[in-house]
Amino acid sequence: MSPLHEQHFRAIENLIFEWARAIDENRVEAIADLLLEDGRYTVKSRFNHDRDLPMAIIDSRSAAQLRDRIKSMRIANIYEPHHYRHILSGVQIVGEQAGVLQVRSNYLVVRTMALDGDMKIISTGQCQDEVILTPSGPKFKQRLFLYDSRIIETLLVIPI
Amino acid sequence: MSPLHEQHFRAIENLIFEWARAIDENRVEAIADLLLEDGRYTVKSRFNHDRDLPMAIIDSRSAAQLRDRIKSMRIANIYEPHHYRHILSGVQIVGEQAGVLQVRSNYLVVRTMALDGDMKIISTGQCQDEVILTPSGPKFKQRLFLYDSRIIETLLVIPI
Amino acid sequence: MSPLHEQHFRAIENLIFEWARAIDENRVEAIADLLLEDGRYTVKSRFNHDRDLPMAIIDSRSAAQLRDRIKSMRIANIYEPHHYRHILSGVQIVGEQAGVLQVRSNYLVVRTMALDGDMKIISTGQCQDEVILTPSGPKFKQRLFLYDSRIIETLLVIPI
């Protein structure tokens, strides 16, 4: 690992943790600020990704598009109240090209229903992120969540 | 993150990991030594915390009180043998005031029953900790476990 | 923690994460290169370990033996296609003797079946590793996975 990586490793880990904490604390709007304005946030099955199939369940091609989606979650979607808990592990910087860091991590999301307290692992998978170090700290150029199971029980209304 | 935080980050992470490992390795008594003598250890539902309701399922207001609780677990409580496995993630220092560091992390606890080997996620949530750097290393001034689900299947006999 | 540990902590964490990522990305062969040629990889129940009982479900006494096992998984074993997701936490260096670092961490493995997408926690436990710092980076002298539950639902075909 180059000195550049060493120096910024903690900041990148913190960026990844911040995304998760914003969602878990129901401050979902805050994640859009962690994405570059022309950044991309995609949630796709490992199955489709391995076969180069384009279909994704979320594919926001800018921070503005992600803000729209979160707003619709707040004011338009009807769903049973629930929240998430992210458990993350294995953050690794696996490459760098022209100032873009390639970052890998694993995630597991537990969903808890407000009504009956039912807890369930709703998704596990790998994040394949591209991170850029800006003057105001690291930001995501791309967040790609590759989920392991093709089964998505219900509409994924809150972003992961 | 200030240089102070950077320098002590690893030690604080280690404190959090040490608490979990002591419980998982059935050396539960050791956690009381990680709490300041007048420290506080509380396990409360996210639901109650969000509404400023006081009820908690554990609320030890000193290390001595926590030691008492652990002793009663060892010699008085009758329960089916089981142990825990803690999975922790997302340790972040989110603030500092008068030498007290505000620390956040997520936790997930899997319980395994000794008799039939049944495994189950019994709790997920967020830790909101206050940490003080003492000459003998960081210690908890407060450990607050906010659990996500209001359902606690059975008596929580072993602290989390 | 001595300066030696501090300096190499990130590299050791990365070694542990790399093992998991190689398996999760179906590059299982790569884990044998993280083990010293005369290293040992063992998967054993906590129950047996606590009682000093020798029986383990995997016990490879060299990297070559582990390579054999992986080859048999690729070409001989018949099993329903599935893959793993490792969630790791709590990496701690707990001791050092004659250049061998004693490392602890917790793991949780979720298995996803390719056919129906069924997800399940198949194993949780503690890793008790011995790590040596070689000129080409840290390597495992021993990887010991102690799993919590004596129930192993089916043949553990992919190493954890």
Side-chain angles (χ1 to χ4, degrees):
Chain A
M1 194 179 300
S2 81
L4 172 75
H5 294 170
E6 194 62 45
Q7 188 184 343
H8 296 289
F9 203 106
R10 188 66 82 177
I12 290 169
E13 250 181 8
N14 196 60
L15 175 71
I16 290 171
F17 296 166
E18 191 61 31
W19 180 288
R21 191 162 63 91
I23 295 171
D24 293 354
E25 293 183 348
N26 196 17
R27 299 179 290 106
V28 187
E29 286 74 7
I31 64 172
D33 300 329
L34 305 177
L35 198 65
L36 290 175
E37 277 310 312
D38 61 348
R40 188 168 179 175
Y41 165 59
T42 308
V43 180
K44 197 176 186 174
S45 71
R46 177 184 177 141
F47 182 92
N48 280 8
H49 184 76
D50 285 352
R51 286 155 187 76
D52 248 328
L53 298 170
M55 195 67 171
I57 56 168
I58 302 179
D59 192 12
S60 295
R61 290 169 184 237
S62 67
Q65 212 177 326
L66 178 54
R67 284 191 190 94
D68 261 16
R69 198 183 189 287
I70 295 165
K71 183 164 272 182
S72 89
M73 174 195 93
R74 294 290 190 205
I75 63 177
N77 299 152
I78 309 287
Y79 59 96
E80 200 183 326
H82 61 274
H83 62 263
Y84 293 158
R85 183 64 51 198
H86 284 73
I87 306 290
L88 310 171
S89 100
V91 178
Q92 292 183 286
I93 301 174
V94 297
E96 179 181 358
Q97 209 169 12
V100 181
L101 298 166
Q102 307 292 329
V103 184
R104 297 288 178 273
S105 58
N106 280 354
Y107 76 89
L108 177 155
V109 178
V110 173
R111 183 194 61 193
T112 300
M113 305 310 286
L115 191 64
D116 65 1
D118 181 61
M119 282 192 291
K120 190 183 159 120
I121 296 176
I122 55 148
S123 188
T124 64
Q126 187 187 49
C127 292
Q128 298 191 351
D129 299 328
E130 294 185 355
V131 174
I132 286 183
L133 305 170
T134 76
S136 58
K139 299 239 177 179
F140 292 113
K141 183 183 187 310
Q142 171 156 324
R143 284 228 83 178
L144 172 57
F145 282 76
L146 294 177
Y147 56 91
D148 290 318
S149 174
R150 284 185 288 162
I151 310 293
I152 297 286
E153 192 196 348
T154 50
L155 174 72
L156 190 72
V157 59
I158 306 175
I160 57 176
Chain B
M1 192 179 300
S2 81
L4 172 74
H5 294 171
E6 194 61 45
Q7 188 184 342
H8 296 289
F9 203 106
R10 187 67 80 178
I12 290 169
E13 252 182 7
N14 196 61
L15 175 71
I16 290 172
F17 295 165
E18 190 62 31
W19 180 287
R21 192 162 62 92
I23 295 171
D24 293 355
E25 292 184 348
N26 196 17
R27 298 179 291 106
V28 188
E29 287 73 8
I31 64 172
D33 300 329
L34 305 177
L35 198 65
L36 291 175
E37 277 310 311
D38 61 347
R40 187 167 178 175
Y41 165 59
T42 308
V43 180
K44 198 177 186 173
S45 71
R46 177 183 177 140
F47 182 92
N48 281 7
H49 184 76
D50 286 351
R51 286 154 187 78
D52 248 329
L53 297 171
M55 194 67 172
I57 56 168
I58 301 179
D59 193 11
S60 295
R61 289 166 186 240
S62 67
Q65 212 179 327
L66 179 53
R67 284 191 191 95
D68 261 17
R69 198 184 190 287
I70 295 166
K71 182 163 274 184
S72 89
M73 174 195 94
R74 294 289 190 205
I75 62 177
N77 298 154
I78 309 287
Y79 59 95
E80 200 183 324
H82 61 275
H83 62 263
Y84 293 158
R85 185 62 51 197
H86 285 73
I87 306 290
L88 310 171
S89 99
V91 178
Q92 291 182 287
I93 301 174
V94 296
E96 179 182 358
Q97 210 170 11
V100 181
L101 298 166
Q102 307 292 331
V103 183
R104 298 288 178 273
S105 59
N106 280 354
Y107 75 89
L108 177 155
V109 178
V110 174
R111 183 193 61 192
T112 300
M113 305 310 286
L115 190 64
D116 65 1
D118 181 60
M119 282 191 291
K120 190 186 160 118
I121 296 177
I122 56 147
S123 187
T124 65
Q126 187 187 50
C127 292
Q128 298 191 353
D129 299 328
E130 294 185 356
V131 174
I132 285 182
L133 305 170
T134 77
S136 59
K139 298 238 178 180
F140 292 113
K141 184 184 186 310
Q142 171 157 324
R143 284 228 83 179
L144 172 57
F145 281 76
L146 294 177
Y147 56 90
D148 289 319
S149 173
R150 283 185 288 162
I151 310 292
I152 297 285
E153 192 196 348
T154 49
L155 175 72
L156 190 72
V157 59
I158 307 175
I160 57 174
Chain C
M1 192 179 301
S2 80
L4 172 74
H5 294 170
E6 193 62 45
Q7 187 184 342
H8 297 289
F9 203 105
R10 187 67 80 178
I12 290 169
E13 252 182 9
N14 196 60
L15 175 71
I16 291 171
F17 296 165
E18 191 61 31
W19 181 287
R21 192 162 63 92
I23 295 171
D24 293 354
E25 291 183 349
N26 195 18
R27 298 179 290 107
V28 187
E29 287 74 7
I31 64 173
D33 300 328
L34 305 177
L35 198 65
L36 290 175
E37 278 309 313
D38 61 348
R40 187 167 179 177
Y41 165 59
T42 309
V43 181
K44 196 176 187 175
S45 71
R46 176 183 177 141
F47 182 92
N48 281 6
H49 184 75
D50 285 352
R51 285 156 188 77
D52 248 328
L53 297 170
M55 194 68 171
I57 56 169
I58 302 179
D59 192 13
S60 295
R61 290 167 185 239
S62 68
Q65 213 178 328
L66 178 54
R67 283 191 191 96
D68 261 16
R69 198 186 189 286
I70 295 165
K71 183 163 272 182
S72 89
M73 174 195 93
R74 293 290 190 204
I75 63 177
N77 297 152
I78 309 287
Y79 59 96
E80 201 183 324
H82 61 275
H83 61 264
Y84 293 157
R85 184 64 52 197
H86 284 73
I87 306 289
L88 310 171
S89 99
V91 178
Q92 290 183 287
I93 302 173
V94 297
E96 180 181 358
Q97 211 170 10
V100 181
L101 297 166
Q102 306 293 330
V103 183
R104 298 288 178 272
S105 59
N106 281 353
Y107 75 89
L108 177 155
V109 177
V110 174
R111 184 193 60 192
T112 300
M113 305 310 286
L115 191 64
D116 64 2
D118 181 61
M119 283 191 292
K120 190 185 161 119
I121 297 177
I122 55 146
S123 188
T124 64
Q126 186 187 49
C127 292
Q128 297 190 352
D129 299 328
E130 294 185 355
V131 174
I132 286 183
L133 306 170
T134 77
S136 59
K139 298 239 178 179
F140 292 112
K141 183 184 187 311
Q142 171 156 325
R143 284 228 83 180
L144 172 57
F145 281 75
L146 294 177
Y147 56 92
D148 289 318
S149 173
R150 284 186 287 162
I151 310 294
I152 297 283
E153 191 196 349
T154 49
L155 175 71
L156 189 72
V157 59
I158 306 174
I160 57 175

